[in-house]
Amino acid sequence: MPVVPNRASAHRTADELSRDLVARGLQAARDAIETEAAAVSALADRLDGVFLEVLIAVARCEGHLVVTGLGKSGLVGRKIAATLASTGTPATFIHSGDALHGDSGAVTTRDLVLALSASGETAEVCEFARMLREREIPVIAMTGQEQSTLAQLATYTLDTMVLREADPLNLAPTASTTASLAMGDALACALVVLRSFSHHDFAQFHPSGALGKRLAEDQA
């Protein structure tokens, strides 16, 4: 007869956990928030000349800003591309693995590519960047390692270095992905200003959902 798991016993309640374990878990949560807040705050001092060059290059791009990455960096890259597209910068996402299986053909010489890799050594991302370099398509690296292979292949490098990840093991992409996400938002926000992107423009791209409804009411 198959053994049916007892759900009641499989999930211990807070009362059944030792107070010490609960207290340490809560402290880990506080430490994670403080570590990620510090990682994001440190980015403000890195909005230097390189960031300005990237900003101008993206504003002048005649094609799309193609964002690429894989794993957690790929998930962050998808969000960055979506934010840029909804705020007036033509952008799309290509998975770095798919790029090596034909999708790189979607990138044209009118495009810019933003490549994300915390280590700067992700094999698929670096190989995609190498292919783009051979085609003389500019690459913006977003990485925490300025001396990495990806940074060496790129035209520009946005520094998203963090002192440590936020998890207790200092292993899971947490602070590093949060820093990349914040740097992407910073780029999108700066472009909103450069393009004089308005509420009306945003409403045109975002007619659905609660936000779209609110924008439509504001303009009625």
Side-chain angles (χ1 to χ4, degrees):
M1 177 181 292
V3 176
V4 180
N6 185 335
R7 291 182 179 277
S9 62
H11 301 284
R12 291 184 293 177
T13 66
D15 290 339
E16 295 169 323
L17 295 170
S18 73
R19 290 187 177 184
D20 176 65
L21 193 62
V22 171
R24 285 191 285 133
L26 190 57
Q27 186 58 50
R30 291 196 181 99
D31 291 345
I33 290 174
E34 290 175 0
T35 299
E36 295 201 5
V40 170
S41 180
L43 295 177
D45 292 333
R46 300 180 210 162
L47 303 183
D48 53 12
V50 175
F51 182 85
L52 185 59
E53 290 178 9
V54 169
L55 182 61
I56 294 172
V58 175
R60 290 178 174 171
C61 178
E62 296 179 348
H64 285 73
L65 179 62
V66 179
V67 186
T68 189
L70 55 73
K72 304 297 187 295
S73 292
L75 295 172
V76 171
R78 286 183 186 278
K79 192 275 180 185
I80 292 175
T83 297
L84 287 164
S86 68
T87 52
T89 295
T92 189
F93 177 83
I94 293 179
H95 189 281
S96 299
D98 291 337
L100 304 187
H101 291 266
D103 285 10
S104 62
V107 185
T108 74
T109 55
R110 293 162 57 90
D111 298 329
L112 274 171
V113 174
L114 173 63
L116 281 71
S117 170
S119 68
E121 300 296 342
T122 309
E124 293 87 344
V125 177
C126 291
E127 183 56 28
F128 187 22
R130 190 172 287 107
M131 293 166 63
L132 295 164
R133 182 173 178 172
E134 290 174 356
R135 294 172 57 194
E136 299 183 349
I137 296 172
V139 174
I140 304 162
M142 187 181 287
T143 179
Q145 299 294 331
E146 289 192 289
Q147 303 304 316
S148 63
T149 300
L150 178 61
Q152 298 299 317
L153 290 167
T155 309
Y156 313 96
T157 298
L158 294 176
D159 177 14
T160 53
M161 184 274 293
V162 297
L163 295 177
R164 60 159 293 136
E165 297 292 1
D167 70 294
L169 304 177
N170 189 24
L171 290 174
T174 45
S176 59
T177 48
T178 299
S180 295
L181 190 62
M183 183 65 85
D185 284 345
L187 182 61
C189 291
L191 287 163
V192 165
V193 175
L194 261 65
R195 298 185 190 283
S196 299
F197 192 79
S198 67
H199 285 79
H200 175 73
D201 297 325
F202 194 94
Q204 285 188 313
F205 294 149
H206 203 302
S208 294
L211 183 55
K213 182 180 179 182
R214 195 189 81 191
L215 289 166
E217 290 173 350
D218 290 344
Q219 297 184 47

